[in-house]
Amino acid sequence: MRVALAGNPNVGKTTLFNALTGRHQEVANWPGTTVDYVTGRLPTHAGEALELVDLPGTYALEAYSQEERVTRDFLLQQPHDAVIVVVDASRLERNLYLVLELLEFTPRVVVALNMMDAAARDGLQVDAKRMSELLGVAVVPTVASRSTGLKRLIAAVRQVARQPAASVPASAVPYPDEVRRELIAPLTARLATLQGLGYRPEWAALQLLQGEDDVRSAVAALPRGSEAIALSRVLLAGEEGGRLRGGAMLQAARVASVDARGRQAELTLLLADSRYDLIAAILRASSRRRLRWRRDASEDLDRLLLHPFWGYLVMAGVFSAGFWLAFVASAPLSERVDRLLVGMGGAVAAWLAQAGAPAFLRSLVLAGVFPGVGAVLSFVPYMAVFFAVYQLLQDSGYMARASLLVDRFMQLIGLHGKGFFALVSAYGCNVPAMTATRVMENPRDRLLANLVIPFIPCNARLGVMAVVTAAFFPGAAGAVAMIGLILISLATLTLVAALYRRTILPTDPAPLVLELPRYHWPSWRTVLLATWHRVWLFLSRIWWFLIWATIAIWALTYFPAGQPLDHSYAGMIGQWLTQLVGRHFGFDWRLMIAILFGFVAKETTLSTLGVLYGSGSGYLSLSHALTQAMPPLVAFTYLVVYMLYVPCLSTVVQMRRESGAWSWAALGVAVNVGVAFAVGLLIERLGELLGLAP
Amino acid sequence: MVRTLRLSELQAAVKAEVQEISGPSAFRSRMLALGITPRSPVQILRRMPMGGPIEIEVRGTRLALRIKDAEQITVTVRA
């Protein structure tokens, strides 16, 4: 038996899911989207096995964001035996809207009246039994965070899933008689005669009358379906079409379709209005609010956290602490993973040498396979802490406040507040930052954020930049150079974002709608499980690709076997690239190779440079070798290019994943590299004009 | 006396009632799902600095809207 779990965002749906399924969970990616969803199995000691699907949060059945689309598609297309709608008992008025929509769609609904404790604290008493009578479905009070009411919920689900569909009446919403008689009834009757209609006729009628596209195409595909669609137009135009058939109906629809659109909008409003009227009536009969003078803790917190001055200060503090945890505190862990792998690589290579394996095999293991595995695994501590922090901020309700605070400033680069965290966190690591863009509802906004994130220098790049800057610009000049670099990256990001907006990604009219949920303590289980799911998804997608890429790069430097590095294939490519591009910048072949290899992972650049300049990667010897090899202007130009072009292969793979197409990732990389070199050239020429060249 | 104005022009902490929602149909149906329907009581809780979004309370829920979007919603105030 398969049961879907639906509900508004921030109602404790995932907490309920975790409480029900425990560790029996599996995470997957919805086909063709970046939306992850989790399925879980209930312990099977009682009755038939039960599979639970945690659908993304949604405010209504009509889809607005990609997440809501997934929920809608699942409910409309995937077979399921029942739906649990989770509602926040302290926010019933808005939450019941989705319940009523679902009740029209399927009779097999159980309402989980969650957060009963929070409602009680507000002085709200809800009579679940009365509400159940009024809605016509089971309503079970639960407190997911304390696992209360779960047994009764599952019992109700099993009962609903067993009962025959016909025993449940269709829509309970008292739409105005006129609308029922003149629009809904005739169209429902016609739809009921269609062969193979997978939906309840009345629900389909309501959708058609509101001009819903998915349902219209589903109906159009049925034999005689186009007649039903034509009837919906005729009815909307205020004509009677119940008796028309075939060609006569289509003819009448052509005449009528002109003013159908205005009526659709009017009708949508009318239907929503009737639903809210019913909700008000249900709440009057089944809930009682004892007036209790009590300070609203959320509002008190908001007075500080949304304050025009203190709010920003607290936000800076919260984000700094979060990023410190994610990117600084986790660094020793990453290094340990790295060292462990280097050690293992050495041991395996030594063992291979003893066993008399050929030199290339040893080199493959030492310089190809283990660094590849290392490149994947060294991300894990970052990702894990980052996602835990992210989930914590999200679940506590703080992220919505931060988005609200920064929205005005994000508009400057054509994005909204929800993208702020992603962009800021990109200074730590671009890869999880791309995942964090998913909070944005609009796919176009998300795509834009993903395309510009690589311009933000991450931890790894900042580290390399600091070392090279210190070598070339000692003392205070170094700080000026670093700040200059960061300003260049910000300016580039702003310009490129504006360029994308003007050309291929114009702004959608989509509004920013942000619910500000009540603050609450996140459940550890929810945070940890979400973190684990995200890290696992990342690893399972990326490892194969990264390892092959590292091996390919290794092959380029190793073959033809026995040659020095500058005669390897990589060296030849470096020389060719110098001829083609590098000489305009003053870059020699070694810098070009370092740029090329930087594509795999930029943090390896220092060691690459160390090998290429024959100095090892010790700081003093490397900085000496570098300052001997090039003037400061060339070094600065190199840093600009280095900072701006594709951070690493993982970002490219992630960009592909988040955008859903290799073509977007390719475009992103092309623009990234093109802009990096263009800005570099600009800086180089400016420097020459200012007489900074030797 | 009843005054009609845009939601964006409403003063903070003044109780008002939604009259009409214009704009693209996706926007309107989203507003409906969030509880912003004709006759629903609404008030502004706070405004973010420098023309940033407004925080409103409607049907027991708190929502943030941009000024540009709030301009699409007309409300009335009883003076």
Side-chain angles (χ1 to χ4, degrees):
Chain A
M1 159 184 328
R2 183 143 81 152
V3 178
L5 197 60
N8 281 190
N10 311 310
V11 296
K13 185 170 58 61
T14 299
T15 309
L16 183 66
F17 176 80
N18 290 333
L20 284 169
T21 57
R23 284 172 297 108
H24 308 275
Q25 301 189 356
E26 228 172 283
V27 61
N29 195 254
W30 204 264
T33 69
T34 51
V35 182
D36 304 328
Y37 71 103
V38 188
T39 58
R41 275 173 299 107
L42 248 63
T44 49
H45 42 75
E48 191 187 343
L50 203 151
E51 186 195 6
L52 206 57
V53 184
D54 187 14
L55 294 175
T58 183
Y59 289 108
L61 202 50
E62 78 263 20
Y64 191 72
S65 66
Q66 210 180 2
E67 273 77 13
E68 295 188 347
R69 177 102 233 148
V70 165
T71 301
R72 178 189 171 81
D73 287 351
F74 180 91
L75 291 172
L76 264 60
Q77 293 159 14
Q78 302 292 319
H80 54 276
D81 301 286
V83 183
I84 301 176
V85 207
V86 188
V87 300
D88 175 352
S90 63
R91 300 265 187 279
L92 276 175
E93 202 171 354
R94 215 264 324 283
N95 275 245
L96 285 179
Y97 190 83
L98 178 67
V99 175
L100 291 186
E101 272 201 330
L102 278 171
L103 277 175
E104 280 169 359
F105 173 70
T106 164
R108 302 183 191 278
V109 171
V110 173
V111 178
L113 195 55
N114 198 30
M115 299 195 171
M116 283 295 276
D117 50 340
R121 277 199 298 276
D122 284 355
L124 185 74
Q125 281 186 321
V126 186
D127 182 349
K129 208 166 147 242
R130 186 86 188 95
M131 186 177 282
S132 160
E133 287 162 15
L134 291 165
L135 283 170
V137 291
V139 176
V140 182
T142 58
V143 181
S145 55
R146 280 192 265 119
S147 300
T148 313
L150 304 186
K151 275 211 182 92
R152 284 187 53 204
L153 183 67
I154 292 307
V157 168
R158 289 193 190 281
Q159 197 181 357
V160 155
R162 271 198 304 267
Q163 78 193 21
S167 70
V168 187
S171 156
V173 183
Y175 296 124
D177 277 348
E178 191 187 296
V179 174
R180 265 201 191 287
R181 198 176 52 237
E182 286 169 17
L183 297 175
I184 303 176
L187 189 56
T188 304
R190 175 64 64 102
L191 283 166
T193 65
L194 292 185
Q195 293 286 313
L197 181 72
Y199 309 122
R200 301 174 98 184
E202 183 173 284
W203 181 80
L206 286 166
Q207 303 302 310
L208 281 184
L209 289 169
Q210 294 180 80
E212 215 291 323
D213 287 332
D214 292 339
V215 176
R216 193 177 48 218
S217 27
V219 172
L222 299 173
R224 305 186 74 86
S226 52
E227 271 180 44
I229 294 168
L231 176 62
S232 74
R233 296 221 183 94
V234 172
L235 292 170
L236 277 170
E239 318 256 334
E240 282 195 27
R243 262 175 239 104
L244 294 180
R245 289 279 180 276
M249 172 72 83
L250 298 178
Q251 179 60 34
R254 253 188 298 268
V255 182
S257 66
V258 189
D259 48 353
R261 206 160 269 283
R263 288 291 309 272
Q264 276 171 1
E266 222 175 286
L267 186 71
T268 305
L269 197 68
L270 204 69
L271 298 181
D273 225 25
S274 309
R275 286 185 202 129
Y276 278 111
D277 282 345
L278 176 62
I279 291 171
I282 291 175
L283 289 180
R284 266 196 308 275
S286 65
S287 73
R288 211 151 40 102
R289 189 179 286 280
R290 265 180 301 146
L291 269 182
R292 197 200 286 194
W293 195 86
R294 189 177 146 272
R295 290 181 69 92
D296 179 349
S298 264
E299 175 55 28
D300 285 350
L301 260 177
D302 273 346
R303 245 175 241 148
L304 170 70
L305 297 180
L306 292 175
H307 187 275
F309 175 74
W310 298 112
Y312 290 95
L313 210 65
V314 173
M315 183 179 76
V318 168
F319 281 6
S320 308
F323 293 140
W324 183 84
L325 273 179
F327 300 119
V328 184
S330 74
L333 216 57
S334 287
E335 277 161 29
R336 196 168 299 169
V337 169
D338 229 29
R339 266 208 303 277
L340 189 72
L341 280 163
V342 170
M344 277 166 63
V348 173
W351 176 77
L352 282 173
Q354 250 183 1
F360 91 90
L361 194 64
R362 272 178 288 155
S363 175
L364 170 68
V365 168
L366 198 62
V369 175
F370 274 90
V373 177
V376 181
L377 289 186
S378 63
F379 272 104
V380 170
Y382 274 166
M383 306 265 309
V385 183
F386 174 85
F387 284 129
V389 169
Y390 174 81
Q391 197 67 32
L392 212 64
L393 290 175
Q394 191 86 346
D395 285 3
S396 62
Y398 184 70
M399 199 70 98
R401 271 71 180 189
S403 308
L404 185 53
L405 283 170
V406 297
D407 183 66
R408 182 70 197 87
F409 310 104
M410 289 294 286
Q411 284 187 47
L412 297 175
I413 54 167
L415 286 172
H416 62 57
K418 287 185 181 177
F420 182 71
F421 184 81
L423 290 195
V424 177
S425 67
Y427 283 99
C429 180
N430 286 186
V431 180
M434 288 182 170
T435 313
T437 60
R438 292 184 188 175
V439 285
M440 294 189 250
E441 284 151 0
N442 187 327
R444 234 184 261 176
D445 289 352
R446 183 155 46 194
L447 195 53
L448 176 66
N450 274 302
L451 289 172
V452 299
I453 276 178
F455 288 117
I456 299 175
C458 60
N459 232 358
R461 276 178 281 174
L462 289 169
V464 174
M465 283 155 63
V467 169
V468 179
T469 314
F472 281 90
F473 310 95
V480 175
M482 270 308 265
I483 293 171
L485 284 169
I486 303 236
L487 288 179
I488 289 171
S489 82
L490 278 176
T492 308
L493 178 127
T494 313
L495 285 175
V496 173
L499 205 69
Y500 275 124
R501 277 296 189 210
R502 293 277 155 81
T503 52
I504 47 176
L505 291 170
T507 323
D508 258 348
L512 164 93
V513 203
L514 202 59
E515 188 188 353
L516 298 171
R518 195 196 291 259
Y519 291 102
H520 67 97
W521 291 110
S523 114
W524 284 109
R525 180 146 69 170
T526 308
V527 169
L528 292 179
L529 276 171
T531 304
W532 160 244
H533 289 155
R534 288 223 174 84
V535 172
W536 171 246
L537 269 182
F538 168 77
L539 282 180
S540 61
R541 310 261 144 160
I542 220 165
W543 71 278
W544 191 237
F545 189 80
L546 264 187
I547 286 170
W548 279 114
T550 347
I551 290 176
I553 298 265
W554 165 81
L556 284 180
T557 52
Y558 188 81
F559 295 106
Q563 296 288 329
L565 189 55
D566 57 328
H567 284 86
S568 67
Y569 291 124
M572 290 180 219
I573 296 173
Q575 254 121 13
W576 177 69
L577 282 176
T578 314
Q579 280 306 306
L580 199 69
V581 190
R583 60 197 173 96
H584 303 291
F585 297 77
F587 298 166
D588 64 10
W589 67 273
R590 289 172 289 206
L591 279 185
M592 288 316 288
I593 294 189
I595 287 176
L596 188 68
F597 285 7
F599 275 104
V600 179
K602 279 199 176 158
E603 56 267 40
T604 62
T605 297
L606 282 184
S607 59
T608 312
L609 287 173
V611 172
L612 291 170
Y613 285 95
S615 69
S617 53
Y619 172 65
L620 281 178
S621 54
L622 178 62
S623 61
H624 183 74
L626 287 178
T627 45
Q628 291 300 307
M630 67 190 99
L633 179 62
V634 171
F636 190 78
T637 310
Y638 170 69
L639 282 180
V640 170
V641 174
Y642 173 80
M643 171 178 69
L644 295 178
Y645 83 93
V646 187
C648 59
L649 266 178
S650 310
T651 10
V652 179
V653 179
Q654 196 70 1
M655 209 193 283
R656 144 84 184 85
R657 218 184 123 202
E658 298 299 327
S659 63
W662 278 112
S663 55
W664 280 114
L667 174 82
V669 170
V671 169
N672 211 229
V673 174
V675 167
F677 278 95
V679 176
L681 198 60
L682 190 75
I683 298 288
E684 206 266 342
R685 291 294 131 95
L686 268 178
E688 270 179 21
L689 277 179
L690 294 172
L692 294 175
Chain B
M1 201 193 78
V2 175
R3 239 169 7 112
T4 306
L5 64 168
R6 292 173 182 173
L7 179 58
S8 53
E9 301 159 342
L10 190 66
Q11 277 188 320
V14 173
K15 295 205 158 82
E17 203 181 85
V18 175
Q19 290 306 312
E20 222 176 290
I21 304 151
S22 49
S25 76
F27 173 71
R28 276 181 286 122
S29 55
R30 170 86 331 183
M31 292 301 119
L32 296 180
L34 288 168
I36 303 178
T37 60
R39 294 184 291 120
S40 52
V42 60
Q43 64 170 319
I44 293 189
L45 296 175
R46 55 171 67 77
R47 291 169 175 275
M48 291 293 118
M50 283 173 283
I54 53 173
E55 182 188 344
I56 62 170
E57 176 156 13
V58 63
R59 293 186 193 275
T61 323
R62 292 174 177 204
L63 302 172
L65 289 180
R66 278 185 176 168
I67 297 280
K68 188 169 58 71
D69 297 319
E71 279 171 3
Q72 312 270 13
I73 299 167
T74 20
V75 299
T76 52
V77 180
R78 263 173 228 288

